[in-house]
Amino acid sequence: GAVVSQHPSRVICKSGTSVKIECRSLDFQATTMFWYRQFPKKSLMLMATSNEGSKATYEQGVEKDKFLINHASLTLSTLTVTSAHPEDSSFYICSATSDGNTIYFGEGSWLTVV
Amino acid sequence: GENVEQHPSTLSVQEGDSAVIKCTYSDSASNYFPWYKQELGKRPQLIIDIRSNVGEKKDQRIAVTLNKTAKHFSLHITETQPEDSAVYFCAAGEGGGADGLTFGKGTHLIIQP
């Protein structure tokens, strides 16, 4: 089946720094990618939807200047957490689709801000 | 926007018994209803999905039913096994899921040996 890969799987960064998480579709062209955030023992919350070559659509309450999303190609979307704070520590997970019928999730990235 | 409610939050059943998890949604435009199984720190795994033109779908021990009028859908797992223990999430979305998914809060399913 189709594969979506995320990198890094785990990252620790200092408060105030920025960190970038990559989401790649390895064997298909992802016209749409989604970024979710999941706190421990909680559900997945959709942060934003990105379409290749256009600006991401953010969900209500998600700061677009803090969570920068770039979908520069049909196989890569990046999420950059800027000026990270401890409360940004979470599990970030992407998903991708090429046809809107099947959605593939990445492995997720654990972010710890110290 | 869409709001998905999921119950129960925790479900404990004896091995071999059936488990049922229920979800309701609010947006009548939603037409795609997947169910995911997630182990701690891992990606959600799609176990079954149903689209709004179908009322029921079955795949071996797993079945999903959809009632569009009442806006609810349910996951049924029969002959439960220890490896079924995990957190299960329902979700709802428009455009077959292409517009993003709204997830329920999850159900921690525990299979008692």
Side-chain angles (χ1 to χ4, degrees):
Chain A
V3 177
V4 175
S5 177
Q6 262 184 261
H7 178 80
S9 57
R10 291 182 180 274
V11 58
I12 300 172
C13 71
K14 292 184 178 180
S15 288
T17 62
S18 296
V19 61
K20 181 186 287 186
I21 300 170
E22 294 185 347
C23 178
R24 293 182 184 272
S25 57
L26 298 184
D27 53 0
F28 68 101
Q29 293 187 324
T31 51
T32 306
M33 286 185 169
F34 307 93
W35 286 96
Y36 293 86
R37 181 176 184 175
Q38 186 177 30
F39 290 110
K41 298 186 179 182
K42 297 295 184 182
S43 188
L44 290 85
M45 300 298 294
L46 180 63
M47 299 174 67
T49 302
S50 74
N51 293 292
E52 184 266 340
S54 62
K55 289 185 178 181
T57 302
Y58 289 80
E59 295 299 303
Q60 194 172 7
V62 178
E63 299 176 60
K64 59 183 68 176
D65 293 332
K66 179 167 184 61
F67 299 99
L68 301 179
I69 291 171
N70 184 283
H71 192 163
S73 77
L74 284 171
T75 59
L76 174 64
S77 177
T78 60
L79 167 68
T80 302
V81 183
T82 63
S83 186
H85 290 281
E87 55 264 33
D88 297 326
S89 298
S90 187
F91 187 56
Y92 292 87
I93 191 163
C94 70
S95 66
T97 183
S98 61
D99 58 6
N101 285 321
T102 307
I103 298 166
Y104 303 95
F105 278 87
E107 309 99 318
S109 300
W110 284 101
L111 170 63
T112 303
V113 183
V114 297
Chain B
E2 176 65 274
N3 181 48
V4 177
E5 298 284 341
Q6 183 172 346
H7 298 281
S9 57
T10 304
L11 177 61
S12 181
V13 301
Q14 290 294 123
E15 181 179 350
D17 289 350
S18 296
V20 181
I21 303 171
K22 299 181 178 182
C23 287
T24 60
Y25 63 99
S26 61
D27 190 348
S28 57
S30 290
N31 57 11
Y32 178 63
F33 308 93
W35 285 88
Y36 291 91
K37 177 182 180 182
Q38 188 182 32
E39 296 176 13
L40 185 64
K42 301 284 182 66
R43 79 179 88 198
Q45 298 280 356
L46 178 70
I47 55 171
I48 198 167
D49 58 8
I50 192 167
R51 299 178 192 273
S52 59
N53 58 343
V54 176
E56 184 174 355
K57 184 176 178 181
K58 190 174 182 180
D59 182 5
Q60 298 182 339
R61 298 188 295 110
I62 296 172
V64 57
T65 59
L66 171 65
N67 183 328
K68 279 195 66 181
T69 304
K71 295 198 189 71
H72 66 71
F73 55 114
S74 301
L75 176 71
H76 304 252
I77 305 174
T78 59
E79 299 172 28
T80 53
Q81 300 167 3
E83 52 265 36
D84 294 331
S85 295
V87 179
Y88 290 80
F89 291 98
C90 64
E94 295 182 42
D99 295 336
L101 296 171
T102 300
F103 283 80
K105 286 184 164 51
T107 296
H108 185 190
L109 177 62
I110 302 165
I111 308 300
Q112 303 278 10

